[in-house]
Amino acid sequence: MHFNKVTNSILDELISVVGKQFVFSSKEDRKRYGSDETEDFNFPPEVVIIPKDAKEVSEIMKIAFSNSIPVTPIG
């Protein structure tokens, strides 16, 4: 399967769903979310989005699916 990158227009769509304060794309933020406590590997995502409810999750997933953007949930 071919995946696409997050473009500025996709980023704008995501911001319209959750608000700019819940979308993180700086190098430092992405690095923070690019690893867990199991090993020293770091795979920064292109963008980090923090939804507040199931409706926002649903809208994010619709945008990702329609643009062939992979999603990795964390919790």
Side-chain angles (χ1 to χ4, degrees):
M1 179 173 218
H2 172 74
F3 294 114
N4 294 315
K5 297 252 182 213
V6 176
T7 64
N8 286 336
S9 63
I10 294 170
L11 197 56
D12 289 341
E13 282 185 72
L14 295 167
I15 289 169
S16 74
V17 172
V18 300
K20 190 169 180 71
Q21 68 273 28
F22 297 109
V23 177
F24 304 96
S25 58
S26 74
K27 185 176 181 178
E28 297 81 27
D29 288 327
R30 293 183 307 107
K31 184 176 181 185
R32 186 171 17 144
Y33 285 93
S35 64
D36 60 20
E37 300 301 320
T38 59
E39 298 195 37
D40 291 333
F41 299 121
N42 192 278
F43 302 98
E46 288 184 72
V47 63
V48 176
I49 304 161
I50 302 178
K52 71 176 178 219
D53 56 30
K55 183 178 180 198
E56 287 185 356
V57 172
S58 177
E59 292 301 313
I60 292 164
M61 296 305 294
K62 286 177 190 175
I63 293 167
F65 180 77
S66 68
N67 290 284
S68 298
I69 304 292
V71 175
T72 304
I74 63 170

